Amino acid sequence: MELDIIEEKDLKMGKANQEVFAETLEGLAAADRDIIAVTSDSRGSGKLVPFGRKFPSQIVEVGIAEQNLVGVAAGLASAGKKAFAVSPACFLTARSLEQIKNDIAYSDNPVTLVGISAGVSYGALGTTHHSLHDFAVLRAINNMMIVAPADNFETEQAVRFAAALNKPVYLRFGKKAMPFLNESNQEFEFGKGRIVREGDDLTIIATGETVYPAWQAAKLLEDTHGVRATVVSMHTVKPLDTELLDTIISGGKPIITVEEHMVNGGLGEACASHLFQKGARNPFQLIGIPDEYTVTGSQVEIFNHYGISQEGIANQAKVLLKINQ
């Protein structure tokens, strides 16, 4: 099933997460004049045009200059402001990596870095515009929290948590409208995974916009094979919820990780590292973008090509469970 078309009658349709980010930030800024949005010619794509009109003294535009974006945000934070540096994720975490490392993390400036249009959201614009490295490079930097919300609920909560945290945070958002994945589970905390579907035959751990196809795969497995999968939205990639991982491995059941990121250095490798060091023997499969330049196409086409889809994830689960295809 294509991610563009959400027909799941059990789920309520929401907006794109980056739209919810902008709306939430606007609400927070109305009550807190210390909140400043800093953009790099990205107020349009970041959905911050209404924010700028409403709070012209609380937005700074630096133009296409991501290194300056991070430096200015760091300076504002050092002066007591709550700076949100907003830019396409591919440029924010590549062009300004040195500034993120030194001006934000090393200097412990409480800037919220907001990577918009993340993963392969830019579709046919290709590899230059894909952010498939950001988890890996930022995981290697001390004092940097990495959060990729799955739906609108997690997005709103993440923005509010980041504004109140007073620490460096990287928030990662995509462009696709997302459904609400589990409205009965209204618990959110940085560093704690959120269970959006429960089962006891295997666990699928996903992050960001891949949580929805993981949820779809779990439903397909139950409908066609009676297999019940737990689906975890591991929205916080760093720090990882190792307590939840320890609970998951205790049953010895298969584990699949899914991410809109290279297989190198992302969620899957973070989980695998912890599991291996704990002596886990659970069957394990990592699903992500392989170590290659991606095929050209829309986000949906790229997801389908690499098995980040309802059918692709379900097929991997059947392999681990030794179910005949």
Side-chain angles (χ1 to χ4, degrees):
M1 178 184 291
E2 291 195 352
L3 296 180
D4 297 88
I5 306 169
I6 297 176
E7 300 174 337
E8 205 57 69
K9 63 182 180 181
D10 297 329
L11 300 177
K12 185 174 77 175
M13 187 62 187
K15 305 174 182 178
N17 286 338
Q18 57 193 43
E19 290 184 37
V20 176
F21 151 71
E23 292 171 358
T24 304
L25 191 67
E26 184 176 324
L28 291 171
D32 187 349
R33 295 297 178 179
D34 283 336
I35 289 179
I36 307 290
V38 189
T39 64
S40 56
D41 193 34
S42 50
R43 73 172 66 189
S45 53
K47 311 302 178 185
L48 289 169
V49 171
F51 182 103
R53 289 173 179 160
K54 193 169 185 178
F55 307 112
S57 64
Q58 289 174 254
I59 190 166
V60 177
E61 174 60 65
V62 302
I64 304 175
E66 287 79 10
Q67 293 169 324
N68 289 346
L69 171 84
V70 175
V72 168
L76 288 166
S78 71
K81 300 299 183 181
K82 299 174 183 178
F84 284 74
V86 184
S87 184
C90 57
F91 306 132
L92 176 63
T93 59
R95 289 179 176 171
S96 54
L97 184 60
E98 181 181 1
Q99 285 71 31
I100 292 172
K101 172 189 169 185
N102 295 329
D103 298 347
I104 305 298
Y106 178 71
S107 302
D108 196 26
N109 279 313
V111 172
T112 300
L113 301 163
V114 183
I116 59 174
S117 304
V120 294
S121 293
Y122 277 124
L125 288 179
T127 295
T128 58
H129 283 62
H130 294 164
S131 55
L132 301 175
H133 61 279
D134 48 349
F135 290 164
V137 297
L138 296 181
R139 280 183 61 223
I141 296 176
N142 179 48
N143 196 29
M144 180 59 63
M145 185 175 290
I146 304 170
V147 183
D151 63 8
N152 293 179
F153 164 73
E154 291 184 3
T155 296
E156 179 181 352
Q157 293 300 307
V159 176
R160 293 184 182 278
F161 268 70
L165 187 62
N166 205 38
K167 296 289 290 182
V169 181
Y170 173 60
L171 300 182
R172 188 195 212 232
F173 301 124
K175 298 170 64 176
K176 187 85 54 197
M178 302 304 295
F180 290 88
L181 291 167
N182 187 346
E183 291 191 276
S184 65
N185 183 348
Q186 297 294 303
E187 295 183 5
F188 181 93
E189 182 181 348
F190 281 166
K192 297 294 181 182
R194 175 177 172 237
I195 295 175
V196 297
R197 191 179 181 99
E198 295 190 5
D200 50 20
D201 294 314
L202 77 154
T203 300
I204 307 171
I205 303 170
T207 191
E209 292 193 2
T210 65
V211 180
Y212 175 53
W215 189 97
Q216 285 184 303
K219 186 175 186 300
L220 178 62
L221 287 166
E222 185 170 1
D223 291 345
T224 58
H225 296 284
V227 171
R228 299 184 68 250
T230 289
V231 179
V232 176
S233 171
M234 195 67 84
H235 47 72
T236 307
V237 176
K238 182 185 178 185
L240 199 63
D241 189 349
T242 54
E243 290 185 6
L244 179 56
L245 286 178
D246 290 345
T247 300
I248 290 168
I249 65 176
S250 63
K253 298 298 176 67
I255 299 169
I256 296 174
T257 63
V258 191
E259 59 195 305
E260 189 179 0
H261 187 275
M262 284 287 182
V263 293
N264 299 326
L267 171 69
E269 286 198 347
C271 291
S273 174
H274 178 77
L275 297 175
F276 189 75
Q277 291 180 79
K278 283 286 187 174
R281 297 182 179 274
N282 306 60
F284 181 89
Q285 179 64 50
L286 191 163
I287 298 177
I289 306 296
D291 191 9
E292 66 183 47
Y293 293 115
T294 60
V295 297
T296 300
S298 68
Q299 183 195 42
V300 172
E301 291 166 334
I302 295 170
F303 272 27
N304 289 339
H305 179 82
Y306 293 114
I308 308 173
S309 61
Q310 179 183 37
E311 293 78 11
I313 299 167
N315 286 339
Q316 287 292 345
K318 288 188 282 187
V319 170
L320 294 184
L321 292 166
K322 296 181 171 55
I323 297 174
N324 293 330
Q325 300 290 319

